Amino acid sequence: MKRLRDRYEALLLDLDGTLYRGAAVIDGAPEALVGAQSSAQRLAYVTNNASRGPETVAAHLAELGYPATPDDVVTSAQAAVRLLVEKLTPGAAVLVVGSEDLAAEVATAGLTPVRRYNGEVPAAVVQGHSPDTAWADLAEAAYALRSGALWVAANTDKTLPNERGLAPGNGSMVAALRAASDLEPVVAGKPFAPLLDDAVARVGTRAALVVGDRLDTDIEGAARVALDSLLVLTGVSTLDELASAGPERVPTYVAHSLDALNHPPVDDEADLDLAERLRRHPGRAVTVRASRSEIR
C-alpha cells in the first residue's frame, strides 16, 4: 500500500501549529517530514502569518530541522501584495498595519509603504500580524478606510498558536478595524484562494496535499481551491470541532501527527467514529472523505 505522502507530488505545509508553536518545534515533526522515510516530492511552507519575510521564515525552519530556502516559503504578505499590485498603479501609497517585513514586501513590489495618514488618502491599507500593532496604528487605518482606501488583509486568523497557548491573531486586529470602519477587507490568506493559488503556482502541480492544523483556514482553504487536505491534531482544531464542522471544513484525512504521512492511510472502517479509528491505528491517518486529487 502507498504511503499517504506518495499519493501526491507536493506538500503545502502550514507552519504555526503544524511544524512549530512559536519558537518551539513540534516533537517529531522534522523527522517525520524529512527523515530517512521522506520522499523527493516538493515541499512548500505556506503561512498565513505576514509578520516575517521568506528569508526569516526559512532561517527559522532550518534552525528547527526543516530543509527550507526562501523560495520554498509562500506567505500571506506576498499574496496580499500581489493583490495590491493587481489593483493599484505603480508607486501608489499603501498604509501598512503590520511588521517591517510586510512594509518591505510592499516596497519591493514598487509601491510606497507609509505608516500615517496625513491628509492625503493612501490608495490602500494592507494589514498583517505584528505583536507591535497598537491603537494608533488601527486609528490611522480607520481614517484612511473611511476616506476611501482599499483594504487588503493578509489573513483573518483569530488566534495564533505559540509555546504558551493561543494568542490573538491578525483576525482579532482585523475585527477591531472592521468595527471601526464598517467595512470588509479583501483577504489574501487561507481560507481564501490567493495564498494557496500562489503556493500551487510555486510547486508547479495541482497534485498537492494541504497539511495544517486549522479547520477554518487550512482545511476550508484546501476545499476552496479543490485540493486534498490533512488535518493534524497538533495545533488549534480538535476532533470535537471536526465532528460538528460543515462540509467545507471536512478534511480528506485526519491524523494525530505528521508522521502519518509516512504510512498508508486507513481507508476503511467508516462505520466507526474517527476517535476509535485513530485509536485502532496509531500513527496513521484516517480517511474522512473521498479524495479530490487528480492522483487516484
PDB file of all heavy atoms in Angstrom, residues 58-86:
ATOM      1  N   ALA A  58      12.444  30.990   6.426  1.00  0.00           N
ATOM      2  CA  ALA A  58      13.291  29.870   6.022  1.00  0.00           C
ATOM      3  C   ALA A  58      14.410  29.625   7.029  1.00  0.00           C
ATOM      4  O   ALA A  58      14.729  28.475   7.349  1.00  0.00           O
ATOM      5  CB  ALA A  58      13.874  30.128   4.637  1.00  0.00           C
ATOM      6  N   ALA A  59      14.982  30.706   7.557  1.00  0.00           N
ATOM      7  CA  ALA A  59      16.047  30.555   8.548  1.00  0.00           C
ATOM      8  C   ALA A  59      15.517  29.911   9.823  1.00  0.00           C
ATOM      9  O   ALA A  59      16.179  29.041  10.418  1.00  0.00           O
ATOM     10  CB  ALA A  59      16.666  31.915   8.851  1.00  0.00           C
ATOM     11  N   HIS A  60      14.328  30.307  10.248  1.00  0.00           N
ATOM     12  CA  HIS A  60      13.713  29.711  11.443  1.00  0.00           C
ATOM     13  C   HIS A  60      13.436  28.235  11.222  1.00  0.00           C
ATOM     14  O   HIS A  60      13.734  27.395  12.087  1.00  0.00           O
ATOM     15  CB  HIS A  60      12.417  30.458  11.763  1.00  0.00           C
ATOM     16  CG  HIS A  60      11.742  29.980  13.009  1.00  0.00           C
ATOM     17  ND1 HIS A  60      10.378  30.054  13.181  1.00  0.00           N
ATOM     18  CD2 HIS A  60      12.218  29.410  14.141  1.00  0.00           C
ATOM     19  CE1 HIS A  60      10.050  29.559  14.363  1.00  0.00           C
ATOM     20  NE2 HIS A  60      11.146  29.162  14.967  1.00  0.00           N
ATOM     21  N   LEU A  61      12.898  27.889  10.058  1.00  0.00           N
ATOM     22  CA  LEU A  61      12.622  26.486   9.748  1.00  0.00           C
ATOM     23  C   LEU A  61      13.908  25.666   9.752  1.00  0.00           C
ATOM     24  O   LEU A  61      13.944  24.540  10.285  1.00  0.00           O
ATOM     25  CB  LEU A  61      11.930  26.374   8.395  1.00  0.00           C
ATOM     26  CG  LEU A  61      10.473  26.842   8.345  1.00  0.00           C
ATOM     27  CD1 LEU A  61      10.009  26.979   6.905  1.00  0.00           C
ATOM     28  CD2 LEU A  61       9.567  25.888   9.108  1.00  0.00           C
ATOM     29  N   ALA A  62      14.964  26.199   9.154  1.00  0.00           N
ATOM     30  CA  ALA A  62      16.246  25.474   9.116  1.00  0.00           C
ATOM     31  C   ALA A  62      16.790  25.254  10.519  1.00  0.00           C
ATOM     32  O   ALA A  62      17.326  24.177  10.830  1.00  0.00           O
ATOM     33  CB  ALA A  62      17.247  26.244   8.261  1.00  0.00           C
ATOM     34  N   GLU A  63      16.636  26.250  11.384  1.00  0.00           N
ATOM     35  CA  GLU A  63      17.094  26.098  12.777  1.00  0.00           C
ATOM     36  C   GLU A  63      16.356  24.968  13.492  1.00  0.00           C
ATOM     37  O   GLU A  63      16.919  24.301  14.366  1.00  0.00           O
ATOM     38  CB  GLU A  63      16.877  27.407  13.542  1.00  0.00           C
ATOM     39  CG  GLU A  63      17.813  28.531  13.139  1.00  0.00           C
ATOM     40  CD  GLU A  63      17.430  29.843  13.801  1.00  0.00           C
ATOM     41  OE1 GLU A  63      16.417  29.853  14.542  1.00  0.00           O
ATOM     42  OE2 GLU A  63      18.121  30.846  13.564  1.00  0.00           O
ATOM     43  N   LEU A  64      15.104  24.750  13.125  1.00  0.00           N
ATOM     44  CA  LEU A  64      14.285  23.727  13.764  1.00  0.00           C
ATOM     45  C   LEU A  64      14.437  22.350  13.125  1.00  0.00           C
ATOM     46  O   LEU A  64      13.853  21.377  13.604  1.00  0.00           O
ATOM     47  CB  LEU A  64      12.810  24.146  13.735  1.00  0.00           C
ATOM     48  CG  LEU A  64      12.452  25.408  14.518  1.00  0.00           C
ATOM     49  CD1 LEU A  64      10.974  25.730  14.345  1.00  0.00           C
ATOM     50  CD2 LEU A  64      12.812  25.267  15.986  1.00  0.00           C
ATOM     51  N   GLY A  65      15.189  22.274  12.025  1.00  0.00           N
ATOM     52  CA  GLY A  65      15.445  20.984  11.403  1.00  0.00           C
ATOM     53  C   GLY A  65      14.706  20.722  10.111  1.00  0.00           C
ATOM     54  O   GLY A  65      14.746  19.596   9.587  1.00  0.00           O
ATOM     55  N   TYR A  66      14.046  21.725   9.555  1.00  0.00           N
ATOM     56  CA  TYR A  66      13.336  21.569   8.287  1.00  0.00           C
ATOM     57  C   TYR A  66      14.194  22.130   7.147  1.00  0.00           C
ATOM     58  O   TYR A  66      14.727  23.235   7.270  1.00  0.00           O
ATOM     59  CB  TYR A  66      12.008  22.314   8.322  1.00  0.00           C
ATOM     60  CG  TYR A  66      11.069  21.849   9.401  1.00  0.00           C
ATOM     61  CD1 TYR A  66      10.925  22.583  10.580  1.00  0.00           C
ATOM     62  CD2 TYR A  66      10.321  20.686   9.252  1.00  0.00           C
ATOM     63  CE1 TYR A  66      10.053  22.167  11.573  1.00  0.00           C
ATOM     64  CE2 TYR A  66       9.460  20.259  10.249  1.00  0.00           C
ATOM     65  CZ  TYR A  66       9.328  21.003  11.407  1.00  0.00           C
ATOM     66  OH  TYR A  66       8.484  20.589  12.400  1.00  0.00           O
ATOM     67  N   PRO A  67      14.312  21.416   6.038  1.00  0.00           N
ATOM     68  CA  PRO A  67      15.087  21.957   4.918  1.00  0.00           C
ATOM     69  C   PRO A  67      14.266  23.002   4.181  1.00  0.00           C
ATOM     70  O   PRO A  67      13.232  22.694   3.593  1.00  0.00           O
ATOM     71  CB  PRO A  67      15.322  20.720   4.039  1.00  0.00           C
ATOM     72  CG  PRO A  67      14.131  19.851   4.296  1.00  0.00           C
ATOM     73  CD  PRO A  67      13.733  20.095   5.731  1.00  0.00           C
ATOM     74  N   ALA A  68      14.687  24.229   4.223  1.00  0.00           N
ATOM     75  CA  ALA A  68      13.897  25.294   3.620  1.00  0.00           C
ATOM     76  C   ALA A  68      14.805  26.383   3.088  1.00  0.00           C
ATOM     77  O   ALA A  68      15.793  26.761   3.721  1.00  0.00           O
ATOM     78  CB  ALA A  68      12.934  25.886   4.647  1.00  0.00           C
ATOM     79  N   THR A  69      14.463  26.887   1.924  1.00  0.00           N
ATOM     80  CA  THR A  69      15.083  28.083   1.367  1.00  0.00           C
ATOM     81  C   THR A  69      13.985  29.125   1.208  1.00  0.00           C
ATOM     82  O   THR A  69      12.787  28.794   1.253  1.00  0.00           O
ATOM     83  CB  THR A  69      15.708  27.799  -0.006  1.00  0.00           C
ATOM     84  OG1 THR A  69      14.653  27.559  -0.959  1.00  0.00           O
ATOM     85  CG2 THR A  69      16.636  26.578   0.047  1.00  0.00           C
ATOM     86  N   PRO A  70      14.336  30.388   1.026  1.00  0.00           N
ATOM     87  CA  PRO A  70      13.296  31.407   0.828  1.00  0.00           C
ATOM     88  C   PRO A  70      12.342  31.080  -0.320  1.00  0.00           C
ATOM     89  O   PRO A  70      11.157  31.419  -0.249  1.00  0.00           O
ATOM     90  CB  PRO A  70      14.103  32.674   0.550  1.00  0.00           C
ATOM     91  CG  PRO A  70      15.372  32.472   1.318  1.00  0.00           C
ATOM     92  CD  PRO A  70      15.682  31.004   1.172  1.00  0.00           C
ATOM     93  N   ASP A  71      12.831  30.406  -1.356  1.00  0.00           N
ATOM     94  CA  ASP A  71      11.958  30.056  -2.475  1.00  0.00           C
ATOM     95  C   ASP A  71      10.920  29.011  -2.109  1.00  0.00           C
ATOM     96  O   ASP A  71       9.936  28.829  -2.840  1.00  0.00           O
ATOM     97  CB  ASP A  71      12.787  29.540  -3.653  1.00  0.00           C
ATOM     98  CG  ASP A  71      13.548  30.644  -4.366  1.00  0.00           C
ATOM     99  OD1 ASP A  71      13.180  31.830  -4.182  1.00  0.00           O
ATOM    100  OD2 ASP A  71      14.512  30.336  -5.089  1.00  0.00           O
ATOM    101  N   ASP A  72      11.121  28.298  -1.001  1.00  0.00           N
ATOM    102  CA  ASP A  72      10.150  27.296  -0.556  1.00  0.00           C
ATOM    103  C   ASP A  72       9.040  27.900   0.290  1.00  0.00           C
ATOM    104  O   ASP A  72       8.070  27.211   0.628  1.00  0.00           O
ATOM    105  CB  ASP A  72      10.848  26.211   0.285  1.00  0.00           C
ATOM    106  CG  ASP A  72      11.936  25.477  -0.477  1.00  0.00           C
ATOM    107  OD1 ASP A  72      11.743  25.231  -1.681  1.00  0.00           O
ATOM    108  OD2 ASP A  72      12.977  25.155   0.141  1.00  0.00           O
ATOM    109  N   VAL A  73       9.168  29.164   0.663  1.00  0.00           N
ATOM    110  CA  VAL A  73       8.241  29.811   1.594  1.00  0.00           C
ATOM    111  C   VAL A  73       7.260  30.692   0.819  1.00  0.00           C
ATOM    112  O   VAL A  73       7.658  31.516  -0.006  1.00  0.00           O
ATOM    113  CB  VAL A  73       9.005  30.658   2.626  1.00  0.00           C
ATOM    114  CG1 VAL A  73       8.034  31.394   3.538  1.00  0.00           C
ATOM    115  CG2 VAL A  73       9.948  29.776   3.435  1.00  0.00           C
ATOM    116  N   VAL A  74       5.975  30.494   1.087  1.00  0.00           N
ATOM    117  CA  VAL A  74       4.922  31.291   0.462  1.00  0.00           C
ATOM    118  C   VAL A  74       4.120  31.931   1.595  1.00  0.00           C
ATOM    119  O   VAL A  74       3.542  31.227   2.420  1.00  0.00           O
ATOM    120  CB  VAL A  74       3.996  30.426  -0.411  1.00  0.00           C
ATOM    121  CG1 VAL A  74       3.077  31.315  -1.242  1.00  0.00           C
ATOM    122  CG2 VAL A  74       4.798  29.497  -1.323  1.00  0.00           C
ATOM    123  N   THR A  75       4.095  33.260   1.644  1.00  0.00           N
ATOM    124  CA  THR A  75       3.477  33.950   2.772  1.00  0.00           C
ATOM    125  C   THR A  75       2.227  34.722   2.349  1.00  0.00           C
ATOM    126  O   THR A  75       2.077  35.114   1.187  1.00  0.00           O
ATOM    127  CB  THR A  75       4.456  34.939   3.427  1.00  0.00           C
ATOM    128  OG1 THR A  75       4.607  36.080   2.574  1.00  0.00           O
ATOM    129  CG2 THR A  75       5.815  34.294   3.687  1.00  0.00           C
ATOM    130  N   SER A  76       1.363  34.960   3.326  1.00  0.00           N
ATOM    131  CA  SER A  76       0.175  35.771   3.058  1.00  0.00           C
ATOM    132  C   SER A  76       0.551  37.212   2.743  1.00  0.00           C
ATOM    133  O   SER A  76      -0.209  37.909   2.051  1.00  0.00           O
ATOM    134  CB  SER A  76      -0.790  35.713   4.233  1.00  0.00           C
ATOM    135  OG  SER A  76      -0.211  36.276   5.393  1.00  0.00           O
ATOM    136  N   ALA A  77       1.707  37.665   3.232  1.00  0.00           N
ATOM    137  CA  ALA A  77       2.166  39.009   2.871  1.00  0.00           C
ATOM    138  C   ALA A  77       2.426  39.095   1.372  1.00  0.00           C
ATOM    139  O   ALA A  77       2.050  40.077   0.710  1.00  0.00           O
ATOM    140  CB  ALA A  77       3.436  39.356   3.649  1.00  0.00           C
ATOM    141  N   GLN A  78       3.079  38.071   0.814  1.00  0.00           N
ATOM    142  CA  GLN A  78       3.327  38.060  -0.630  1.00  0.00           C
ATOM    143  C   GLN A  78       2.017  38.057  -1.409  1.00  0.00           C
ATOM    144  O   GLN A  78       1.866  38.761  -2.411  1.00  0.00           O
ATOM    145  CB  GLN A  78       4.165  36.839  -1.000  1.00  0.00           C
ATOM    146  CG  GLN A  78       5.576  36.855  -0.441  1.00  0.00           C
ATOM    147  CD  GLN A  78       6.285  35.523  -0.627  1.00  0.00           C
ATOM    148  OE1 GLN A  78       5.689  34.456  -0.446  1.00  0.00           O
ATOM    149  NE2 GLN A  78       7.550  35.574  -0.995  1.00  0.00           N
ATOM    150  N   ALA A  79       1.059  37.235  -0.948  1.00  0.00           N
ATOM    151  CA  ALA A  79      -0.226  37.152  -1.643  1.00  0.00           C
ATOM    152  C   ALA A  79      -0.982  38.480  -1.544  1.00  0.00           C
ATOM    153  O   ALA A  79      -1.600  38.939  -2.518  1.00  0.00           O
ATOM    154  CB  ALA A  79      -1.060  36.015  -1.066  1.00  0.00           C
ATOM    155  N   ALA A  80      -0.935  39.106  -0.369  1.00  0.00           N
ATOM    156  CA  ALA A  80      -1.616  40.385  -0.194  1.00  0.00           C
ATOM    157  C   ALA A  80      -1.018  41.457  -1.102  1.00  0.00           C
ATOM    158  O   ALA A  80      -1.754  42.237  -1.734  1.00  0.00           O
ATOM    159  CB  ALA A  80      -1.528  40.828   1.265  1.00  0.00           C
ATOM    160  N   VAL A  81       0.302  41.489  -1.184  1.00  0.00           N
ATOM    161  CA  VAL A  81       0.952  42.492  -2.030  1.00  0.00           C
ATOM    162  C   VAL A  81       0.665  42.218  -3.510  1.00  0.00           C
ATOM    163  O   VAL A  81       0.494  43.151  -4.300  1.00  0.00           O
ATOM    164  CB  VAL A  81       2.459  42.539  -1.725  1.00  0.00           C
ATOM    165  CG1 VAL A  81       3.196  43.389  -2.748  1.00  0.00           C
ATOM    166  CG2 VAL A  81       2.690  43.087  -0.319  1.00  0.00           C
ATOM    167  N   ARG A  82       0.589  40.940  -3.890  1.00  0.00           N
ATOM    168  CA  ARG A  82       0.213  40.627  -5.275  1.00  0.00           C
ATOM    169  C   ARG A  82      -1.165  41.210  -5.599  1.00  0.00           C
ATOM    170  O   ARG A  82      -1.374  41.780  -6.685  1.00  0.00           O
ATOM    171  CB  ARG A  82       0.211  39.118  -5.503  1.00  0.00           C
ATOM    172  CG  ARG A  82      -0.310  38.730  -6.892  1.00  0.00           C
ATOM    173  CD  ARG A  82      -0.182  37.256  -7.183  1.00  0.00           C
ATOM    174  NE  ARG A  82      -0.989  36.413  -6.335  1.00  0.00           N
ATOM    175  CZ  ARG A  82      -2.302  36.181  -6.528  1.00  0.00           C
ATOM    176  NH1 ARG A  82      -2.950  36.788  -7.521  1.00  0.00           N
ATOM    177  NH2 ARG A  82      -2.956  35.358  -5.735  1.00  0.00           N
ATOM    178  N   LEU A  83      -2.102  41.079  -4.679  1.00  0.00           N
ATOM    179  CA  LEU A  83      -3.430  41.647  -4.901  1.00  0.00           C
ATOM    180  C   LEU A  83      -3.362  43.165  -5.029  1.00  0.00           C
ATOM    181  O   LEU A  83      -4.059  43.764  -5.866  1.00  0.00           O
ATOM    182  CB  LEU A  83      -4.360  41.265  -3.754  1.00  0.00           C
ATOM    183  CG  LEU A  83      -4.708  39.779  -3.619  1.00  0.00           C
ATOM    184  CD1 LEU A  83      -5.609  39.561  -2.412  1.00  0.00           C
ATOM    185  CD2 LEU A  83      -5.367  39.248  -4.873  1.00  0.00           C
ATOM    186  N   LEU A  84      -2.523  43.803  -4.214  1.00  0.00           N
ATOM    187  CA  LEU A  84      -2.379  45.257  -4.304  1.00  0.00           C
ATOM    188  C   LEU A  84      -1.819  45.672  -5.661  1.00  0.00           C
ATOM    189  O   LEU A  84      -2.306  46.632  -6.281  1.00  0.00           O
ATOM    190  CB  LEU A  84      -1.459  45.756  -3.185  1.00  0.00           C
ATOM    191  CG  LEU A  84      -2.001  45.686  -1.762  1.00  0.00           C
ATOM    192  CD1 LEU A  84      -0.900  46.008  -0.764  1.00  0.00           C
ATOM    193  CD2 LEU A  84      -3.178  46.630  -1.572  1.00  0.00           C
ATOM    194  N   VAL A  85      -0.798  44.960  -6.115  1.00  0.00           N
ATOM    195  CA  VAL A  85      -0.180  45.290  -7.397  1.00  0.00           C
ATOM    196  C   VAL A  85      -1.188  45.160  -8.533  1.00  0.00           C
ATOM    197  O   VAL A  85      -1.199  45.963  -9.482  1.00  0.00           O
ATOM    198  CB  VAL A  85       1.042  44.381  -7.643  1.00  0.00           C
ATOM    199  CG1 VAL A  85       1.532  44.488  -9.085  1.00  0.00           C
ATOM    200  CG2 VAL A  85       2.165  44.740  -6.674  1.00  0.00           C
ATOM    201  N   GLU A  86      -2.073  44.163  -8.436  1.00  0.00           N
ATOM    202  CA  GLU A  86      -3.083  43.971  -9.479  1.00  0.00           C
ATOM    203  C   GLU A  86      -4.116  45.093  -9.502  1.00  0.00           C
ATOM    204  O   GLU A  86      -4.729  45.352 -10.540  1.00  0.00           O
ATOM    205  CB  GLU A  86      -3.790  42.629  -9.264  1.00  0.00           C
ATOM    206  CG  GLU A  86      -2.900  41.415  -9.534  1.00  0.00           C
ATOM    207  CD  GLU A  86      -3.578  40.105  -9.155  1.00  0.00           C
ATOM    208  OE1 GLU A  86      -4.714  40.155  -8.620  1.00  0.00           O
ATOM    209  OE2 GLU A  86      -2.987  39.039  -9.401  1.00  0.00           O
TER     210      GLU A  86
END
